[in-house]
């Protein structure tokens, strides 16, 4: 079955950087055909999409992270990345990676990792 495992979270100072990884396994089809995304959820707040990367590599980002965060993927390693620069305390949250149900981002995200905490102070 599909498994997504995030890593790389931890504590960082404001203005610093953190890189998250999301390793995928158990895919029926090639990793490259799916849309992948990063979400985050801060205490007391709703989960929000940070950004996503489509099967052709096109990326979109939430306005709050544009210019600071970069999503990338390595299809050969079945791994998704989130490079976070210029971190702010308001970026503190649990970060989750997710996979689309089909190859289309619009099909919704039905597979989720367990999350990794990022704390910015």
């Amino acid at each position: 079955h599909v498994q997504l495992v995030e890593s790389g979270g931890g504590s960082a100072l404001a203005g610093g950087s953190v890189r998250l990884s999301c390793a995928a396994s158990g895919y029926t089809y090639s990793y490259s055909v799916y849309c992948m995304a990063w979400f985050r959820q801060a205490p007391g707040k709703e989960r929000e999409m940070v950004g996503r990367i489509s099967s052709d590599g096109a990326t979109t980002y939430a306005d709050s992270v544009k210019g600071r965060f970069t999503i990338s993927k390595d299809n050969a390693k079945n791994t998704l990345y989130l490079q976070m620069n210029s971190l702010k305390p308001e970026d503190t949250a649990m970060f989750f990676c997710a996979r689309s149900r089909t190859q289309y981002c619009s099909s919704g995200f039905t597979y989720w990792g367990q999350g990794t905490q990022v704390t910015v102070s």
Side-chain angles (χ1 to χ4, degrees), residues 35-41 46-53 59-66 69 71 82 94-96 98-100 105-106 108-109 112:
C35 178
M36 299 293 297
W38 286 99
F39 289 78
R40 67 183 179 183
Q41 187 166 20
E46 293 187 356
R47 185 176 59 194
E48 65 171 349
M49 181 184 289
V50 173
R52 69 186 193 192
I53 183 166
T59 54
T60 59
Y61 298 95
D63 288 344
S64 58
V65 306
K66 279 182 183 176
F69 290 10
I71 294 175
L82 178 64
M94 184 72 79
F95 284 74
F96 302 87
R99 198 208 83 175
S100 58
C105 295
S106 58
F109 296 92
W112 297 81

Side-chain angles (χ1 to χ4, degrees), residues 97-115:
C97 64
R99 198 208 83 175
S100 58
R101 184 177 63 83
T102 71
Q103 68 265 46
Y104 301 110
C105 295
S106 58
S107 67
F109 296 92
T110 54
Y111 298 97
W112 297 81
Q114 82 289 348

Side-chain angles (χ1 to χ4, degrees), residues 2 5-6 8 17 20-21 24 28 32 35-36 41-42 58-59 65 72 78 81 83 86 95 100 107 114-116:
V2 175
V5 180
E6 301 96 337
S17 298
L20 304 183
S21 299
T28 299
S32 63
C35 178
M36 299 293 297
Q41 187 166 20
T59 54
V65 306
S72 61
N78 290 1
Y81 302 100
Q83 178 67 44
S86 302
F95 284 74
S100 58
S107 67
Q114 82 289 348
T116 186

Side-chain angles (χ1 to χ4, degrees), residues 65-85:
V65 306
K66 279 182 183 176
R68 299 189 299 120
F69 290 10
T70 303
I71 294 175
S72 61
K73 62 177 180 173
D74 185 332
N75 291 329
K77 295 182 178 180
N78 290 1
T79 302
L80 178 72
Y81 302 100
L82 178 64
Q83 178 67 44
M84 303 186 290
N85 299 328

